């Protein structure tokens, strides 16, 4: 329903109000899917040496829809190496973007851009193909990540992308973001044909851009950004262990940037937390040996299933000490787990638009979050993957708008509570397990940065409410004769 409603949402009076709302912190989003596509593709055209490379010729409709391709950089390829749109194309040959765009069959550059868009976002047709079920939606969804990653993981574009992202978040009333990235698509420095072997430069450049933005006039209200390291859950034991070691190495290099650890990918198709338990215990041991603590922020329960392995991930996430749960879509069916989540003060990062796009619910009206809110489970709203799901904006206004419009029990106070929770559960700095629990419990009565941020948010919220009343308050003339 979301994709059909989006245009009308953005024309409503309520949209103007929700846009202006201080939303606090964005706690669940994947960096590759935070790309402002129209901007990024123009930036790629304007950046010297950016090319496209494919796993084979892109000629037939089938090839155009399925054959893998990505953006790359080539110094030597100033003109072109033949066309990717002909049968003679040799797999892996870089073709400059201007040549690929100009020669795109039947329309040139604009048609080329629309084709790329169709490969890295859910198309309008895909959005309404509910009968195809979640697996087909996931297949398309996952295929978007490497393309979007390759578009922005080149230094000159990457740096601008981050600055722009933080600015867009701030404009939407988001002051802090806990980002996730799969550390799977490789990174490339400016002018380098070879990919980096690791993610040192990637994180180094990210760190610099965060600090630069915070120090700028534009970004003075921005509280910051951190990164939850995520491993693709489809990987085998060896690959997971290697990735975990890399995470610890990077935590030692960038202690302020790395906030936590998680696993990503379709839960049904990948390995369950129970299956991953030996690796997760190994990770914990290695962290202790290295003198670092990298807490868990697991995706769990992103399913319609009841008692399947994804549903059971909720049990394991809680047992493994997760500080928040990504999605927790099936949590409402588990009274005992709900009590445990409340008792342990675990927050649910709920992503309603994402759940619609991945076919867990047809519209916001059938989303289970109200069931959790009614039972006092701490929750926040998040946007998950706005580029791919079609929000076409990096903030959270669409998710907040839908919640406000769809759930009569929520109201402005409910929206405020969800936003306040995001500020209360954000991972501003490193905390030990006990310290985290206490700090979250203390909230605005605590002593540290969290309490300070909560107070700042409350002041912003008060100002926002005053603005709503000034702007839209009923000033009704009850005596028209006067
Ligand atoms: Zn996610």
């Amino acid at each position: 329903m979301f994709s059909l409603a989006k245009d009308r949402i953005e024309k409503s009076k309520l949209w103007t109000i929700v846009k202006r709302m201080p939303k606090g912190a964005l706690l669940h989003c994947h960096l590759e899917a935070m790309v402002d596509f129209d901007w990024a593709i123009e930036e790629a055209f304007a950046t010297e040496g950016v090319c496209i490379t494919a796993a084979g010729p892109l000629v037939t409709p089938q090839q155009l829809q399925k054959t893998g391709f990505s953006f790359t950089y080539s110094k030597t390829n100033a003109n072109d190496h033949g066309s990717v749109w002909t049968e003679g194309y040799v797999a892996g040959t870089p073709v400059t973007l201007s040549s690929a765009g100009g020669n795109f069959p039947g329309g040139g550059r604009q048609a080329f851009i629309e084709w790329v868009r169709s490969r890295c976002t859910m198309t309008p047709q895909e959005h309404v193909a509910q009968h195809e079920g979640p697996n087909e939606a996931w297949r398309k969804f996952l295929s978007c990540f490497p393309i979007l990653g390759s578009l922005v993981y080149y230094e000159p574009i990457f740096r601008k992308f981050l600055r722009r992202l933080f600015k867009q978040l701030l404009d939407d009333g988001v002051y802090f973001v806990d980002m996730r990235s799969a550390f799977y698509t490789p990174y490339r420095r400016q002018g380098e044909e070879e990919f980096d072997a690791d993610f040192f430069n990637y994180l180094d450049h990210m760190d610099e851009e965060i600090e630069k933005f915070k120090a700028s006039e534009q970004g003075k209200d921005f509280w910051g950004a951190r990164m939850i390291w995520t491993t693709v859950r489809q990987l085998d034991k060896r690959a997971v262990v290697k990735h975990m070691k890399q995470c610890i190495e990077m935590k030692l290099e960038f202690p302020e940037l790395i906030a936590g650890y998680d696993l990503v990918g379709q839960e049904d198709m990948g390995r369950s937390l129970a299956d991953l338990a030996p690796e997760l215990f190994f990770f914990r041991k290695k962290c202790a040996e290295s003198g670092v603590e990298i807490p868990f922020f697991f995706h769990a329960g992103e399913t319609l299933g009841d008692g399947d392995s994804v549903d059971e991930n909720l049990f394991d996430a809680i047992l493994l000490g997760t500080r928040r749960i990504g999605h927790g879509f099936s949590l409402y069916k588990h009274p005992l787990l709900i009590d445990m989540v409340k008792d342990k003060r675990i927050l649910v990062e709920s992503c309603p638009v994402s759940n619609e796009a991945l076919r867990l619910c047809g519209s916001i009206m059938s989303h289970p979050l109200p069931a959790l809110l009614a039972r006092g489970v701490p929750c926040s709203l998040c946007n998950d993957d706005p580029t791919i799901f079609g929000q076409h904006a990096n903030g959270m206004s669409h998710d907040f708008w839908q919640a406000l419009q769809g759930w009569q029990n929520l109201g402005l106070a409910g929206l405020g509570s969800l936003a306040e929770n995001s500020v209360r559960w954000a991972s501003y700095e490193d905390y030990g397990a006990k310290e985290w629990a206490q700090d979250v419990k203390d909230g605005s009565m605590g002593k540290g940065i969290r309490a300070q941020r909560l107070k700042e948010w409350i002041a912003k919220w008060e100002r926002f409410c005053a603005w709503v009343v000034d702007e839209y308050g009923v000033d009704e003339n009850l005596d028209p004769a006067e």
Side-chain angles (χ1 to χ4, degrees), residues 33 35 74 97 106 113 148-149 153 159 174 218 255 283 322 328 392 429 457 481:
V35 179
S74 177
L97 222 46
I113 291 174
L148 287 165
Y153 286 178
R159 287 183 182 272
V174 179
Q218 266 192 340
F283 178 71
T322 196
H392 298 302
E429 48 193 13
W457 178 85

Side-chain angles (χ1 to χ4, degrees), residues 56-65 67 83-89 105 115:
L58 296 163
V59 181
T60 65
Q62 175 78 5
Q63 288 165 340
L64 283 165
Q65 212 187 339
T67 300
S83 172
V84 64
W85 319 118
T86 56
E87 287 296 353
Y89 174 76
W115 169 73

Side-chain angles (χ1 to χ4, degrees), residues 433-450:
K434 269 197 185 145
E435 202 188 346
W436 167 269
Q438 189 64 42
D439 208 41
V440 167
K441 185 180 173 200
D442 292 346
S444 61
M445 309 302 276
K447 293 186 219 61
I449 188 91
R450 187 181 312 282

Side-chain angles (χ1 to χ4, degrees), residues 28-30 180 264 299 302 327 351 384-385:
H28 190 120
C29 63
H30 300 270
R180 284 165 163 92
V264 279
H299 280 77
E302 189 182 0
H327 293 287
C351 316
D384 209 6
D385 308 278

Side-chain angles (χ1 to χ4, degrees), residues 280-294:
L280 290 165
F281 285 119
F282 163 85
F283 178 71
R284 229 187 235 165
K285 188 173 131 233
K286 277 283 162 201
C287 283
E289 283 171 15
S290 307
V292 292
E293 184 158 356
I294 309 177

Side-chain angles (χ1 to χ4, degrees), residues 300-301 310-319 325 330-344 346 348 372 375 377:
V310 184
D311 193 30
E312 299 221 324
N313 278 342
L314 285 169
F315 290 78
D316 294 300
I318 296 167
L319 290 172
I325 291 174
S330 63
L331 179 63
Y332 75 102
K333 300 175 198 169
H334 298 284
L336 175 69
L337 291 187
I338 287 174
D339 288 344
M340 288 175 80
V341 162
K342 285 165 66 177
D343 192 46
K344 293 174 185 292
I346 297 169
V348 173
L372 293 182
R375 298 170 86 166
V377 175

